[in-house]
Amino acid sequence: MADQIEYKVARILLSSEKIRNRVNELGAEIAREYEGKNPILITLLKGGFIFLADLTRAVEIPHEVDFMLIRSYEGKRSTGSVQIVQDLKLNIEGRHVVIVEDIVDTGLTLSYIREHLELRKPASLIVCTLLDKVETRKIEVKVDKVGFPIEDEFVVGYGLDYRQHYRNLPHIAILDPK
Ligand code: IMP
């Protein structure tokens, strides 16, 4: 029988309405900047799947999407090493790429992926993250678009998990430390 799971959330940090408005703004901005460029929006799974699903519908110009499944986190800590479990299907050489991230924390994951994708010679590459924990950076990495800067608290919901749960919350919440 499956374990009984109970979600314990301390408080809501960002409501679904707030997220929706900001995602629409980011989408409109990307559409304006990439008009006629047929960009590829790439998200890092699993965390980015909900953000990408909403962002792609807010980018009202022709574009493609692709996914990369990576593993870098165990529970609440970054392991520091990033493993590409499943690579992109599209060739990004000469293409305009937007990496769509759920959250940048230490920066280790993004720094690895950014450098790795630059080697494939895209025409351009930027990073659009929904959340940015600016204070917890361990490595400097360029983040071009940020939905919301946030404090150093462990957050869940809207794709973000704690031990594979909470991804389905429509808002971003702070996990109850107990
Ligand atoms: P970084 O390598 O430390 O920057 O971590 C990036 C990845 O760690 C994100 O893509 C998330 O999957 C995960 N992560 C970092 N902070 C949080 C958090 O507060 N909640 C849930 N996942 C997080």
Side-chain angles (χ1 to χ4, degrees):
M1 202 173 74
D3 289 343
Q4 195 71 29
I5 308 276
E6 205 188 317
Y7 282 10
K8 294 201 174 91
V9 156
R11 72 187 165 90
I12 293 177
L13 183 68
L14 299 165
S15 67
S16 53
E17 194 192 348
K18 228 173 171 176
I19 298 171
R20 188 168 49 248
N21 291 339
R22 187 68 187 118
V23 172
N24 286 341
E25 281 174 9
L26 288 169
E29 205 176 293
I30 292 171
R32 234 182 2 259
E33 291 169 13
Y34 288 85
E35 178 85 66
K37 291 186 172 173
N38 188 23
I40 306 179
L41 270 50
I42 292 175
T43 203
L44 308 182
L45 296 173
K46 300 178 189 169
F49 81 111
I50 292 185
F51 181 32
L52 181 77
D54 285 344
L55 188 66
T56 187
R57 283 175 285 180
V59 177
E60 293 177 345
I61 56 162
H63 67 275
E64 294 168 58
V65 297
D66 205 353
F67 307 91
M68 199 174 218
L69 177 59
I70 58 158
R71 190 177 297 140
S72 66
Y73 250 57
E74 298 285 341
K76 283 189 180 179
R77 256 164 313 162
S78 180
T79 59
S81 69
V82 181
Q83 197 190 341
I84 297 175
V85 181
Q86 192 185 299
D87 207 341
L88 301 174
K89 295 282 186 275
L90 297 173
N91 178 3
I92 63 166
E93 189 176 344
R95 301 291 304 274
H96 295 279
V97 169
V98 179
I99 300 179
V100 177
E101 253 286 44
D102 52 354
I103 186 166
V104 185
D105 181 12
T106 63
L108 292 168
T109 307
L110 187 58
S111 160
Y112 176 88
I113 295 296
R114 224 193 145 121
E115 275 177 30
H116 184 85
L117 293 182
E118 289 281 12
L119 294 175
R120 301 184 190 182
K121 302 192 171 28
S124 70
L125 186 150
I126 67 157
V127 172
C128 174
T129 186
L130 181 69
L131 306 174
D132 188 4
K133 283 190 199 171
V134 194
E135 295 164 20
T136 53
R137 216 58 111 246
K138 283 192 184 153
I139 191 167
E140 215 176 295
V141 60
K142 190 161 186 270
V143 179
D144 305 271
K145 295 186 190 297
V146 175
F148 303 94
I150 62 165
E151 313 245 303
D152 179 19
E153 279 170 303
F154 196 81
V155 291
V156 292
Y158 198 73
L160 288 148
D161 76 307
Y162 175 60
R163 297 192 172 155
Q164 300 305 325
H165 282 282
Y166 299 92
R167 294 191 197 275
N168 57 321
L169 297 180
H171 43 251
I172 303 273
I174 315 268
L175 204 59
D176 187 340
K178 286 175 281 176

